Amino acid sequence: MKFGDLLLLKLREFNITQSQLSRDTGIPKTTISGWLNAGRLPDYSSLRALCAYFNVSADELLMTETYNDFPKSLNISTEETYLIIAYRNSENEIKEKIKSLLLNNR
């Protein structure tokens, strides 16, 4: 899982462009492009700005915890990983609704 993949999902989730993220956070667009296209990672101050903007922890944004939770043999996609994170961070009522929906659609 690359940081750029997760950042792209966040951009889509928030329905914003790189330019908008740049304007809102003060992070240069070229820096954001480097994260998305060149596999670069954010420095500490940029990471803090992104976490505040997306209202997530650094672990979630960098996939530190979740990525290490899954065996490589599972071949979990970026989207699946993101859904797992969202599920783990949901309230119990939401989790129960998701379980019910999935169990009823077997």
Side-chain angles (χ1 to χ4, degrees), residues 27-28 31 35 42-51 61:
I27 299 169
T31 300
W35 297 334
D43 62 21
Y44 180 73
S45 62
S46 296
L47 181 61
R48 287 191 58 182
L50 292 171
C51 289
L61 198 56

Side-chain angles (χ1 to χ4, degrees), residues 19-78:
S19 296
Q20 182 67 44
L21 181 62
S22 175
R23 282 192 301 273
D24 292 348
T25 62
I27 299 169
K29 188 174 180 236
T30 55
T31 300
I32 295 169
S33 179
W35 297 334
L36 293 170
N37 301 313
R40 296 186 184 123
L41 292 173
D43 62 21
Y44 180 73
S45 62
S46 296
L47 181 61
R48 287 191 58 182
L50 292 171
C51 289
Y53 186 83
F54 293 120
N55 193 30
V56 295
S57 70
D59 281 336
E60 183 175 340
L61 198 56
L62 295 173
M63 301 296 296
T64 307
E65 293 174 351
T66 303
Y67 183 73
N68 292 327
D69 286 349
F70 302 121
K72 303 285 186 241
S73 60
L74 288 179
N75 295 322
I76 304 258
S77 72
T78 302

Side-chain angles (χ1 to χ4, degrees), residues 7 16 34 46 68 80 97:
L7 181 58
I16 60 171
S46 296
N68 292 327
E80 290 167 322
K97 288 180 181 179

